[in-house]
Amino acid sequence: MFLEYIEPVIKNCETNWTTDPKAVMMYCEINHLGGKSAATRIFQKCNKNYSLNNIMNILKQDQTDSSSNNQVGDKIFWSRHEKCYEFINKYAINENKEEKHMSVRVGSARIDENGNIVNGLEGDQKQYFTPDYDGEVSMQDWYLHSKGWYVIRCKDAEARDKMAYAMEAACNNPHIGYSQSNRWTAQDWCRYKNNGNYDPAAITENVNTDCSALVRLCARYAGIILGDFYTGNMTQVFKNSGQFDIIDDTSITNSSDNQMRGDILVTRSSGHTVIVLDNGKNIENLSKYKYVYNGKAYDDEFDPEFYANKYSDLKAAFGNNADALLQHWVEYGKQEGRIAKEVKYIYNNVDYTAEFDPQFYADKYEDLKNAFGYNADQLLNHWVNYGKNEGRIAKEGTAPI
């Protein structure tokens, strides 16, 4: 019954006004409250600008429109409009995505009220609603910057969550605007006028910030004190603090799927920085795994007990610390050809595990290492088809066959 009602409404909007999913959803809400005539009146006044903020602005203006008694923008409906606006922004799905998933949001200080980076008025002159997706300091759907991203990930999960909270609070506070001319006034207000409470939600006077200064404020709220920085040197400053990992893996940097709430994204050259406000879809599925590092699961490849017992230098350095052993293997061990979990080396249904060790084979023969690196499959293929006949040894303690 619901579909019978809603499908003609959707078709009407898409035929006469717009196919933008968020605008269509808002059209349905207005139509439901006031009927087709009210929805038509509101969308005519949009003048082809069907952003949610503009639709909400037109609804607010509708409260004073005396040309009709059907004022769908009236205050009695306003809380409903705001809740619809909030849910559309948070949960609307891009139909072009291969899988349906709640949108991952980012927040940042973006630009001033005139589209400039300097001399903006204090306070957000473009924020009309909360949650704010169109203001000077606001949220938006995750996107891949034209300059690309680095991911700066705090090692402390609680601090990541606090930074995400602080960014969202800043985006929804109309007192925080954008200008590089006085980028420190938000943080200074917290320090001097709020007794060192760096919660952006507590700011009650108009101030300004810019993208990197706001990230610094969010980190300060999380208890992390950093020196001054800008987008061009952020990765080095955060790395030097010892509290963050700098991630350059494109499977993480180029998609929100493997990004975490509280991750900091910064452009690969001077440009912009944002904070991720939601976990990516793969992060949400990681709870079932035991060995996770930087948003990727390694259960199929890693066993800390095996890794430590196989390599005496690691045992001496890390003992049985699974986290430290996993970090070593991901960052160094894999590249060194180390094995982190007992595996079988099978070729054409024959098990060669007793005779073959890819790291030993590559390290013993420089020509093979130059040709294949530590690629176990390619090394095994070479040994079975050529190396054995050449009298090569593929595992310590074995003799030529």
Side-chain angles (χ1 to χ4, degrees), residues 143-377:
Y143 65 99
L144 180 60
H145 198 282
S146 60
K147 294 183 176 182
W149 294 122
Y150 287 116
V151 174
I152 303 175
R153 179 168 292 166
C154 186
K155 298 175 183 179
D156 185 283
E158 183 178 355
R160 284 199 305 270
D161 190 65
K162 286 183 176 180
M163 287 190 291
Y165 159 80
M167 177 56 77
E168 192 161 355
C171 290
N172 289 326
N173 189 337
H175 293 294
I176 304 175
Y178 181 101
S179 180
Q180 290 186 5
S181 305
N182 52 353
R183 63 197 292 257
W184 296 119
T185 55
Q187 183 158 304
D188 288 346
W189 191 95
C190 294
R191 180 181 181 184
Y192 297 112
K193 293 191 175 185
N194 204 33
N195 299 316
N197 175 3
Y198 290 91
D199 184 349
I203 296 175
T204 57
E205 297 177 13
N206 285 352
V207 295
N208 277 337
T209 188
D210 70 1
C211 63
S212 56
L214 182 54
V215 168
R216 186 170 183 253
L217 173 59
C218 294
R220 188 69 183 85
Y221 172 75
I224 300 170
I225 302 174
L226 301 163
D228 187 13
F229 56 81
Y230 67 104
T231 54
N233 69 350
M234 275 182 65
T235 54
Q236 195 61 48
V237 171
F238 279 78
K239 182 178 180 180
N240 290 345
S241 75
Q243 299 180 72
F244 295 83
D245 291 316
I246 311 301
I247 301 174
D248 191 18
D249 181 343
T250 55
S251 70
I252 298 176
T253 62
N254 289 1
S255 168
S256 64
D257 290 352
N258 292 310
Q259 291 178 11
M260 294 180 173
R261 172 174 164 83
D263 277 350
I264 300 166
L265 311 183
V266 62
T267 48
R268 291 174 176 263
S269 58
S270 294
H272 194 48
T273 181
V274 305
I275 290 181
V276 178
L277 302 178
D278 305 290
N279 282 328
K281 65 179 182 181
N282 291 343
I283 300 300
E284 293 180 353
N285 295 327
L286 288 176
S287 59
K288 63 184 179 182
Y289 294 103
K290 190 173 182 179
Y291 303 113
V292 176
Y293 184 74
N294 277 344
K296 295 181 72 173
Y298 294 98
D299 289 38
D300 292 340
E301 308 169 64
F302 179 79
D303 177 343
E305 184 178 0
F306 175 91
Y307 195 44
N309 290 336
K310 185 172 179 63
Y311 302 103
S312 58
D313 58 328
L314 302 184
K315 183 80 169 181
F318 307 120
N320 293 316
N321 186 318
D323 291 338
L325 288 164
L326 177 59
Q327 180 178 352
H328 179 275
W329 184 68
V330 173
E331 295 186 355
Y332 306 103
K334 291 179 72 174
Q335 289 73 31
E336 295 168 1
R338 301 201 194 215
I339 302 167
K341 190 171 185 177
E342 187 174 8
V343 295
K344 291 186 177 294
Y345 297 106
I346 297 173
Y347 186 85
N348 283 346
N349 297 319
V350 178
D351 187 348
Y352 293 100
T353 306
E355 310 165 48
F356 179 78
D357 178 340
Q359 184 183 16
F360 176 89
Y361 195 43
D363 287 341
K364 185 170 180 64
Y365 302 105
E366 187 175 354
D367 59 328
L368 302 184
K369 191 172 185 177
N370 291 336
F372 309 120
Y374 290 106
N375 188 303
D377 291 338

Side-chain angles (χ1 to χ4, degrees), residues 44 48 61 66 78 115 138 156 178 192 355:
Q44 280 178 335
K48 297 185 179 181
Q61 295 169 20
S66 60
W78 197 249
S138 58
D156 185 283
Y178 181 101
Y192 297 112
E355 310 165 48

Side-chain angles (χ1 to χ4, degrees), residues 46-85:
C46 286
N47 197 26
K48 297 185 179 181
N49 176 2
Y50 301 116
S51 70
L52 286 187
N53 254 31
N54 191 51
I55 295 171
M56 291 291 279
N57 282 329
I58 300 301
L59 283 168
K60 181 165 281 191
Q61 295 169 20
D62 193 56
Q63 295 175 12
T64 60
D65 186 348
S66 60
S67 64
S68 171
N69 293 324
N70 184 8
Q71 304 314 127
V72 74
D74 281 353
K75 292 180 180 179
I76 60 172
F77 300 125
W78 197 249
S79 63
R80 183 163 180 167
H81 291 319
E82 286 189 318
K83 185 58 67 174
C84 186
Y85 172 89

